Structure formats: C-alpha cells, structure tokens
Amino acid sequence: MKMNMDICTLNQGFDILKGQYRIMAPVKTPFRGTLSDTSQIRYQEVSRFEEIEFEQKAQFSAKEIFQPITQVLFYFTEEAYQVPAAEQKKILVFLRACDIHAVQRTDAIYLNNGPVDPYYKQIRDRVEFALIGCKQSFRNCFCASMGTNQTEEYAIGVRPFGDGVQLDIKSETLLSVFETLPHNQDAFEMDYVTENEIEVKVPEKLNAKAISTHEMFREYDSRCVACGKCNFVCPTCTCFAMQDIFYKDNENNGERRRVWSSCHVDGYTEMAGGHSFRKKHGDRMRFKTLHKVHDYEKRFGKYMCVGCGRCDDACPQYISFSTCVNKLSNLEKEES
C-alpha cells in the first residue's frame, strides 16, 4: 500500500512499533569521525524519524546487526554448556539498495552453503528491511556497475519529501500499524542512481593461475598496511575467529565467542606449528579481490561485492578496490 503522512504522524507509528521492533538506522554523530571536526555515521537504534541520516552514506555497514562484532555462542562449565537465550523482538533496519543486496549475499554464505548457521539464522529471521533511496551517487560508489543500485526486496519503502514521508508498505504487520494513522493515498517512486562517477568492468573470464603470480599485486606489498579496515566496513565480509574466555574465579568455566576477523590482518592464515599462508600483503589483496568478483560468483551466481565503496572510503593508504578490479579487466584484454 502506498501512502504519505507527516513526520509527526510517522513518529506515532514508530512509538507503536517499538513494542514489537528494534528500529535500526544510520545516525550521524558529530565530532566522532576520523578527524576531530568530522562526523561519524553508523547504525544505531532510533526512536524518532528525525534521527535517521538520509543524505549521506553510513561509513559502517549494518552487518554488525546480523553478525555482532563479538558474539557469545555458548557458556560452558566442567559438565555442561548453555546457549544464550535469543532476543524475541523483531528488527526493522533502514538500508539502501546495495546494503539489502549485501545481506542477501551474506544469507547465501550462512544459510545456503551447507548446514545452516543457527546463530545467524536466529537474528536474520527477525529482520525486516526498510528501503531508503539515493538521490545521487556517493563518493567511491559503483553500485550501478554491480547491479545493486535498486531492489524490490523490502517490507517498507521510505522516501522523505518536504515535511512529510512517502511510504510503500508491503509487510502486513507494518501496514496494520500505519493504516490506522492519518494518511493520504499517494504514488511512490524510490530514488535510485542509474550511474556512478566510477564505472567498474568485472572480467568475465579470469585465468586464476596466471593471476596468482602476476606482478600487479606486488604494489600492495608496500602500500597495504594490513589494518583490515576494508574488511570491517565491508557489508559482505563474513570472516571470524574463535575465542575461548575462561573466568578468573573458576578457570574451568567460561564462554566461547566468535569475533570478527580479516583476511588482511596478520595471523589470519596461521596454522598449528606456526605455518602461515599469504604473508605478503599483496597476496592478501589478491585473495580478497578474487573472492569478491570471481570465487563467490562461481559458487552463487552473483558477485560478492555490491559496489558500496566503503572499502575505498576507509583505506588509510587510499587503495581503490574498484581500480584493482578494473586492472583485472585490463589483464583479461591483454591476454585475449
């Protein structure tokens, strides 16, 4: 159902929803950015529509809602273990089209790639999407090239205009709330970009063996500092490590956690005996790049990268992932 209402009325709807949902959205926090006079935009729980940042891209993705940075899998004693009780509230997440596509990429990894991951599923089953549009392309975005610039997979579409909001409600639960509030019937058309300043051409055929020894990745041996920021802000990176925490009062009791990790950081490929793969930073860059535009696509039929550009935004060395992918395309042309 398509409708419009003023912001005050929409906030009344939020008040009703808060009994059933946690509402998560990008929020701008002044003076919390990389520099002291810059803002930080990341996902937080909101209670009012005015708190949501629509005009700028969130520097961090919403993946920590689905995959907590630190997640307790179970508590253990000497004789038993116990899985933490799952939260019952649903979650309504305000996402742009590329980020909804990113969640679908993650779904394939956790839900359609062998046994279902129960920890991911118990969160994912409670999530509904609120789609927000992009009036213009943001810096470093290349979503149009990746085919992720628009989507119809949402529970509610939200488009601010003037002092009001246009809504396209597909969820029966959300409709039962908002249709009881004062509103007008209205047309709805989501804002989405059709082209970006950056255009990426993903190579159709890659000679993985030739690329594994190609010199193009050697420049990243010195440029990349292996900080892992590109992985941590990426909405489709899913790597984690395991940690066992033992309590001081009884060293036989504790908890097992999974914690975000990164294919770029030292120690990620370390094995028993101290053996380690991909010690050179350029090799780690190669591994990530091929995983995003080659390996994942061979398995699931879609590119893992959704073109949000956050990796380029976050890199302290100004390494451009989109440029790296285009270099692969140039290699393909040279070989042909």
Side-chain angles (χ1 to χ4, degrees), residues 116-159:
V116 170
D117 186 297
Y119 302 98
Y120 178 82
K121 187 175 188 300
Q122 73 179 9
I123 298 175
R124 182 67 179 86
D125 285 348
R126 295 185 284 114
V127 172
E128 294 183 17
F129 301 139
L131 174 65
I132 56 179
C134 300
K135 294 181 180 179
Q136 59 187 17
S137 178
F138 298 109
R139 180 174 175 265
N140 290 324
C141 290
F142 52 99
C143 56
S145 297
M146 307 309 292
T148 59
N149 53 320
Q150 55 182 308
T151 182
E152 293 295 324
E153 301 297 324
Y154 56 87
I156 180 172
V158 181
R159 182 177 183 269

Side-chain angles (χ1 to χ4, degrees), residues 206-222:
L206 282 173
N207 186 333
K209 185 176 181 180
I211 290 173
S212 66
T213 57
H214 200 279
E215 290 299 309
M216 70 164 281
F217 289 100
R218 298 282 61 89
E219 70 168 282
Y220 302 109
D221 289 340
S222 57

Side-chain angles (χ1 to χ4, degrees), residues 61-116:
S61 75
K63 74 176 177 183
E64 61 185 288
I65 299 170
F66 309 89
Q67 310 161 65
I69 297 174
T70 300
Q71 184 177 25
V72 177
L73 303 185
F74 56 84
Y75 302 97
F76 60 85
T77 67
E78 297 176 74
E79 299 177 351
Y81 73 92
Q82 181 177 354
V83 176
E87 184 181 343
Q88 298 304 310
K89 264 192 174 183
K90 295 181 180 180
I91 307 172
L92 182 64
V93 188
F94 281 73
L95 296 172
R96 300 185 188 277
C98 63
D99 285 328
I100 292 179
H101 280 279
V103 177
Q104 293 167 349
R105 305 301 195 266
T106 308
D107 286 349
I109 293 172
Y110 281 107
L111 305 178
N112 304 311
N113 188 32
V116 170

Side-chain angles (χ1 to χ4, degrees), residues 258-275:
R258 63 179 176 192
V259 182
W260 283 8
S261 188
S262 159
C263 59
H264 272 278
V265 300
D266 293 338
Y268 177 76
T269 61
E270 193 166 299
M271 301 171 61
H275 301 290

